[in-house]
Amino acid sequence: MDVTDFPDDLVQAQAARNATYDALAAPRPRDTTALRRRLLLLSVRLWWHPYWETAPSVPAARSELRHLARAHGAVRAA
């Protein structure tokens, strides 16, 4: 699967979910309730995104999206 197949909003939502998860997993996070709610909201958006209706292999595509968002986040942090 080509990474350009993913819509920008889907990649951004995955990156935001990753950042929220990392913030929640940090030692002594602040405002855990808000972080948990945001994580849930982003997870729902990702799960029900219309892109998945057209993806040829949804499990593989979800895995590739997670990998792409992690790599994208690492590039931004550098």
Side-chain angles (χ1 to χ4, degrees), residues 23-75:
L24 192 57
R28 296 184 184 175
R30 293 180 156 245
D31 204 5
T32 57
T33 301
L35 288 171
R36 287 178 180 159
R37 287 179 181 159
R38 179 162 171 76
L39 187 65
L40 181 59
L41 174 71
L42 290 167
S43 296
V44 168
R45 284 184 187 169
L46 285 166
W47 187 262
W48 294 107
H49 194 280
Y51 172 79
W52 303 122
E53 294 176 13
T54 63
S57 174
V58 174
R62 287 185 194 277
S63 178
E64 186 172 341
L65 175 63
R66 286 191 300 272
H67 185 290
L68 173 67
R70 282 279 177 212
H72 198 68
V75 169

